[in-house]
Amino acid sequence: MASVGIVKEEQRLSAALDAAAIRAGIALDPAQLLLVDRLAILSADIERRTLRRSTTQSLYIHGPAGRGKSWLADAFFVALPTARKTRVHFHRFFDDLHRSIQDHRSERDAVERAIYDLTGNSQLLFFDELHVHDSGDARLLTRLLEHVFRRKLTVLATSNYAPDDLLPDPIWHHIFEPGIDLIKNNMEVYELGGATDYRTTHEDHSTGFAAGVWARESPTPEPRPEEATNLAVRGRQFPVLAARPGELRATFAQLCGSPTSTIEYLAWARSFPRWVINDVPNFDDADAEAQQRFINLIDILVDADVCATFVSSHSLSSFLSIASRRPDAFRMASRLQLLRDSDDL
């Protein structure tokens, strides 16, 4: 009887993902349909584990930007019947983890306690947009992987990087080799390919980040000088052009040219559903640190579905062609193509 229930769960999950695609107006391509089948098996494996207390094979999905990894994994997460599931996004996870470590700093193993706070009683941990560029994050992610696999949690991860390509900087790559081994030894590695970046074909610009625009001139009046203010985040002050109800106005230099971090971006994304970012330069006119901050900022704005206007004297196509020279900017480039381009309006 248990095997019959497992088959029914596979069929139920497949049907749920197909229905979600129809509601979203998405026609799944052959590669995506194969992944639907694999996610249905994962759902059945979780059901089997519930019945038999066995270990579930975790799944690491990687591939080029815009192929539908996050959309399918999100739809799977929603359709999965268990309530014991946790979804974390890379930047938000590390922000929450650092906060929790601070809360437990007087305890014997602050990191382990902090990780348990975030994973709790979960049966499934869904880690969306997994990428590693910082050696400190690499060490913490390794601790997380050790923790979840020791507890036999099922892990679902999406990434633009194959496991061996994580933390690509050759100077620091060795630091994450233990984490890479944990992924390869405990997760099935599944590549979702395909020739189409579906963000380039996105036509719905009614809500969220996709409702934003890349413009030569601001579509709304510029802030008055007296609107300039400072925003406080964890005791630090950051100047911006204006902080109106529901709207943040700032320059590229204020957001990315100064020592801001994902901590500030996450806080402001929660407070301001609309952003206007002025004076965006050509990508190679910004230094490497400002470029990385802008890449991180786009990650956070997309994940929070913030409607953002980018004001630049450079066309979006020019910006993207230059940005493509940086090896790790492909994710940002794909996401910016969700925007409406004022040159095409």
Side-chain angles (χ1 to χ4, degrees):
M1 292 297 292
S3 61
V4 174
I6 299 305
V7 171
K8 286 184 177 180
E9 174 56 24
E10 288 187 27
Q11 294 171 340
R12 187 201 67 79
L13 197 284
S14 292
L17 295 188
D18 289 342
I22 291 170
R23 288 194 300 272
I26 295 172
L28 298 176
D29 66 28
Q32 292 169 335
L33 289 170
L34 288 174
L35 179 56
V36 167
D37 292 340
R38 183 59 190 84
L39 289 168
I41 293 170
L42 181 63
S43 176
D45 283 347
I46 293 173
E47 178 70 14
R48 182 182 297 108
R49 179 185 175 190
T50 301
L51 295 172
R52 302 181 181 178
R53 301 182 183 276
S54 58
T55 300
T56 303
Q57 178 70 45
S58 295
L59 187 61
Y60 182 100
I61 306 166
H62 73 95
R67 268 57 179 185
K69 298 179 298 298
S70 290
W71 188 91
L72 283 168
D74 273 325
F76 166 82
F77 184 82
V78 170
L80 199 67
T82 181
R84 295 171 53 195
K85 53 187 178 182
T86 300
R87 180 192 185 275
V88 293
H89 187 271
F90 181 84
H91 295 297
R92 194 172 300 278
F93 166 77
F94 280 106
D95 181 44
D96 291 343
L97 182 58
H98 286 299
R99 287 176 186 239
S100 189
I101 289 172
Q102 279 294 106
D103 292 341
H104 292 289
R105 62 186 180 275
S106 63
E107 300 175 32
R108 182 176 179 181
D109 195 340
V111 175
E112 194 73 13
R113 293 293 302 274
I115 291 173
Y116 190 84
D117 282 350
L118 296 182
T119 58
N121 193 37
S122 295
Q123 188 176 17
L124 170 76
L125 176 64
F126 169 28
F127 210 129
D128 192 25
E129 298 288 357
L130 191 153
H131 54 92
V132 189
H133 294 284
D134 178 84
S135 58
D137 289 347
R139 292 184 177 94
L140 283 177
L141 182 56
T142 299
R143 290 287 300 272
L144 169 73
L145 294 170
E146 290 171 342
H147 176 96
V148 297
F149 292 134
R150 183 171 62 250
R151 287 177 54 200
K152 295 182 170 52
L153 271 66
T154 299
V155 180
L156 173 64
T158 65
S159 178
N160 294 128
Y161 296 86
D164 287 325
D165 296 332
L166 293 166
L167 194 57
D169 189 329
I171 296 174
W172 302 109
H173 180 76
H174 68 280
I175 290 175
F176 195 55
E177 287 178 348
I180 292 170
D181 288 340
L182 285 166
I183 291 171
K184 293 164 70 174
N185 292 333
N186 292 277
M187 305 181 74
E188 177 188 344
V189 178
Y190 187 103
E191 182 175 8
L192 178 62
T196 303
D197 179 346
Y198 286 101
R199 293 192 181 109
T200 66
T201 64
H202 190 86
E203 296 181 351
D204 182 3
H205 297 287
S206 59
T207 60
F209 187 82
V213 63
W214 185 281
R216 300 293 187 119
E217 297 179 355
S218 177
T220 58
E222 293 291 342
R224 301 182 303 277
E226 60 267 26
E227 289 187 272
T229 187
N230 289 329
L231 296 178
V233 181
R234 301 188 191 180
R236 298 176 64 201
Q237 298 287 327
F238 301 89
V240 296
L241 296 176
R244 300 165 175 170
E247 181 182 83
L248 175 64
R249 305 283 298 246
T251 66
F252 178 93
Q254 288 173 331
L255 293 173
C256 303
S258 59
T260 49
S261 71
T262 55
I263 292 172
E264 288 77 52
Y265 302 153
L266 286 163
W268 298 333
R270 285 189 284 263
S271 300
F272 301 101
R274 298 184 309 279
W275 292 38
V276 179
I277 303 171
N278 284 1
D279 305 327
V280 180
N282 252 343
F283 198 66
D284 59 358
D285 289 337
D287 63 35
E289 290 185 354
Q291 290 177 0
Q292 186 59 58
R293 292 189 188 105
F294 192 67
I295 291 170
N296 294 342
L297 174 61
I298 299 304
D299 279 344
I300 289 166
L301 294 179
V302 171
D303 187 59
D305 215 17
V306 167
C307 178
T309 296
F310 300 85
V311 182
S312 176
S313 61
H314 307 281
S315 68
L316 179 57
S317 60
S318 171
F319 182 88
L320 294 178
S321 67
I322 293 170
S324 65
R325 300 171 190 168
R326 177 168 172 148
D328 59 347
F330 57 86
R331 185 176 65 255
M332 175 199 71
S334 174
R335 291 174 162 189
L336 286 176
Q337 291 181 87
L338 290 168
L339 299 171
R340 293 169 295 155
D341 187 347
S342 64
D343 284 357
D344 298 331
L345 297 179

